Amino acid sequence: MNPNPTKPFPSAAVKVRLLQDAIYSDDMELWAVLSRYRQHIENYFQEIGLQLVVHEEDGFAYLKQSEQEDGAMIPRLFRRDKLARGVAVVGVVLRERLLQFDEKVHDESRLVVTKEEILQMVAVYFPETNDEIRADKRIEAAINRAEELGLLRKLPGVNGDERYEVRRIIKARFPVETLKALHEQLKAHAITRDIQ
């Protein structure tokens, strides 16, 4: 046992959180440490092939795998998870909703939607079935997975109404440049399904 344990660097908690998930400005303590030690944190992660991405205007930061030059043999730390179709549908629809939200002038900084609203927005993109309960369960599973991935954050409900904040990290996962193409693919799939 080490009689003189080393004191962790002040940004240690930020580094660990970034390896787990995004950091948001509403977590004021972590955000302040991130801002103060940003250069140190960037350098720290660069050594292992990770890039710190900070969206000041939207108040979030996350890590992404740096593009490796030819010959660099750094193993990938983050898997490139292909989103399941249901989660992709939820993500695209919510990203479009966030885009519309940001284009309007209002006092709110967060987009909050109810579970019922999400169900209605995405139902058209899910295969029709005679079993409505089963269809809703598939959509609910996609919503739950989107929450696990940090795209949504469940908020305390009022009168049993389930509400979610659409997390701004969704902007990084579904960039506006690819949004139109993704939406066209979803619409084409929904039309093909209706014709069959």
Side-chain angles (χ1 to χ4, degrees):
M1 188 169 152
N2 186 352
N4 299 315
T6 56
K7 189 175 179 185
F9 197 79
S11 62
V14 170
K15 292 171 189 168
V16 171
R17 175 65 74 81
L18 283 166
L19 285 167
Q20 296 171 329
D21 199 0
I23 291 179
Y24 291 90
S25 58
D26 55 6
D27 189 338
M28 290 184 272
E29 192 174 317
L30 287 178
W31 191 258
V33 173
L34 172 68
S35 299
R36 183 170 181 195
Y37 295 101
R38 181 172 174 174
Q39 189 62 55
H40 165 77
I41 295 167
E42 284 176 351
N43 294 340
Y44 177 85
F45 284 117
Q46 272 180 342
E47 289 182 21
I48 58 171
L50 298 177
Q51 179 185 356
L52 174 66
V53 180
V54 180
H55 286 256
E56 296 276 352
E57 65 282 357
D58 290 314
F60 70 90
Y62 66 99
L63 294 174
K64 73 176 192 175
Q65 199 85 37
S66 299
E67 295 301 320
Q68 295 184 21
E69 296 176 16
D70 292 337
M73 297 301 294
I74 301 173
R76 289 195 70 79
L77 182 62
F78 300 132
R79 290 194 331 248
R80 286 187 186 167
D81 287 335
K82 187 174 180 185
L83 293 177
R85 186 177 174 283
V87 180
V89 168
V90 170
V92 169
V93 169
L94 291 175
R95 177 63 180 99
E96 285 184 331
R97 181 81 180 266
L98 183 61
L99 191 62
Q100 294 164 359
F101 175 81
D102 285 344
E103 288 172 352
K104 293 181 180 164
V105 178
H106 44 70
D107 295 335
E108 291 296 318
S109 60
R110 303 180 314 160
L111 171 59
V112 176
V113 293
T114 65
K115 186 176 192 176
E116 192 58 40
E117 287 175 310
I118 300 172
L119 289 167
Q120 290 173 3
M121 287 187 287
V122 303
V124 68
Y125 300 109
F126 278 76
E128 285 190 26
T129 175
N130 293 335
D131 188 350
E132 200 172 311
I133 293 170
R134 188 169 166 222
D136 282 354
K137 283 191 187 279
R138 284 200 320 257
I139 298 172
E140 285 182 28
I143 292 169
N144 291 338
R145 183 67 181 133
E147 184 184 0
E148 289 169 15
L149 292 170
L151 304 178
L152 290 168
R153 180 174 69 171
K154 197 170 193 174
L155 300 172
V158 180
N159 299 329
D161 195 17
E162 292 185 67
R163 301 170 359 157
Y164 295 88
E165 176 187 352
V166 178
R167 302 297 275 171
R168 292 197 170 267
I169 191 76
I170 204 168
K171 293 173 91 170
R173 197 70 191 245
F174 299 92
V176 74
E177 307 84 57
T178 60
L179 199 56
K180 186 175 181 184
L182 289 169
H183 189 75
E184 291 303 318
Q185 288 174 5
L186 290 177
K187 281 200 317 197
H189 182 77
I191 290 168
T192 305
R193 185 200 71 209
D194 290 342
I195 291 171
Q196 292 174 350

